[in-house]
Amino acid sequence: MEIMKVLEGTREKELIDSLGEIYADIESRQEAWKSASSFSCLEGCGDCCRHFEPDLLESEALYLAAWIIENDFPLAKELMEGSHVSLNNEDGCILFNPDSPYHCTVYGGRCLICRLFGYSGEFGKEGKRRWRPCRFYPEDKLSPFVHRTYGEEELAGLSSVPVPVMSDFMERGLSLTPDSSGHTESLREALVKALKRLMFIASIKGFGGDNDNGGGNDSPAPLSA
């Protein structure tokens, strides 16, 4: 099924669409900064994903659930049924695969922190941007950078594009559901709830859950972000 068409007219679709706009903005700003600064994560690294399981806002969980339903429906079923082997993993993200060269099995649906880590900075005490390279990056491959914090003025000399700031996007994510007061749950809890919620909506709209192939590669934006 094309899950976004199924969700048409629902609050859930509004949240997914709104978060998709934020994700698209993150990608655009990060690509501009990466191009201008010549900084890029090492291909196939994934060390920042090991032993880490993100907490999700409601909108993040719904976006990820919709992406999985659309792109990997067998995984969605296993997670809802509690039969997926990764649910037994207590140390890290249940969607991380150490044996895959790309590691993340749901890259197109990944959450805010996973999109922001590495390519985003923060505001210091004086309200100025600052950035520090990922601690997992090997020193011998980091040039022209080193493992230390770079201030706004120094960054301006290295790149004509300002580094994106993580808190800006996190605040935008929080603003999507102000009534929830920033409530989060672990990925494994929030995702399963969101999957069941979306499939319940689909069921009352007359769509069954027997399509093990999901929606293939024709998923509408924002799920392709």
Side-chain angles (χ1 to χ4, degrees):
M1 75 177 82
E2 295 184 10
I3 188 62
M4 297 303 284
K5 291 182 179 179
V6 176
L7 298 175
E8 194 66 47
T10 66
R11 174 179 176 272
E12 285 75 11
K13 184 179 185 299
E14 290 181 6
L15 287 174
I16 293 169
D17 283 343
S18 296
L19 186 60
E21 293 176 4
I22 295 174
Y23 284 170
D25 193 20
I26 290 172
E27 182 174 358
S28 175
R29 292 177 185 239
Q30 288 183 339
E31 285 301 320
W33 187 76
K34 284 189 288 183
S35 177
S37 67
S38 300
F39 177 82
S40 181
C41 287
L42 294 176
E43 185 175 350
C45 176
D47 283 346
C48 59
C49 303
R50 300 179 190 276
H51 314 298
F52 172 72
E53 179 175 12
D55 290 333
L56 305 187
L57 296 164
E58 177 189 14
S59 55
E60 294 177 274
L62 289 170
Y63 189 103
L64 177 55
W67 189 94
I68 293 174
I69 290 171
E70 191 71 26
N71 293 276
D72 193 348
F73 194 72
L75 172 61
K77 288 181 66 176
E78 289 181 357
L79 290 170
M80 286 187 289
E81 295 166 354
S83 61
H84 196 272
V85 64
S86 68
L87 292 171
N88 296 321
N89 173 28
E90 298 295 335
D91 181 25
C93 180
I94 60 173
L95 302 173
F96 175 75
N97 181 0
D99 299 321
S100 164
Y102 297 104
H103 304 303
C104 180
T105 58
V106 294
Y107 191 78
R110 68 197 186 284
C111 61
L112 271 168
I113 188 63
C114 300
R115 293 169 188 267
L116 292 169
F117 189 82
Y119 297 121
S120 299
E122 61 181 355
F123 286 120
K125 293 181 179 179
E126 298 180 353
K128 294 184 177 182
R129 296 169 191 258
R130 62 186 185 185
W131 172 79
R132 185 181 182 90
C134 171
R135 68 181 185 275
F136 299 111
Y137 214 111
E139 187 79 46
D140 61 336
K141 297 181 180 180
L142 192 55
S143 180
F145 300 99
V146 294
H147 281 292
R148 65 176 177 83
T149 299
Y150 291 81
E152 187 167 279
E153 291 80 7
E154 199 170 10
L155 287 170
L158 294 168
S159 169
S160 59
V161 177
V163 63
V165 176
M166 186 176 293
S167 60
D168 286 346
F169 295 107
M170 296 302 294
E171 289 175 5
R172 288 173 63 184
L174 285 168
S175 71
L176 297 181
T177 51
D179 57 322
S180 67
S181 301
H183 174 71
T184 61
E185 291 183 292
S186 67
L187 182 145
R188 69 186 65 212
E189 295 176 324
L191 175 57
V192 171
K193 289 180 181 178
L195 285 167
K196 292 180 177 179
R197 182 168 156 191
L198 295 187
M199 290 309 300
F200 174 74
I201 293 173
S203 70
I204 63 177
K205 288 198 169 191
F207 291 85
D210 297 325
N211 179 8
D212 286 358
N213 295 319
N217 295 322
D218 297 324
S219 60
L223 298 184
S224 58

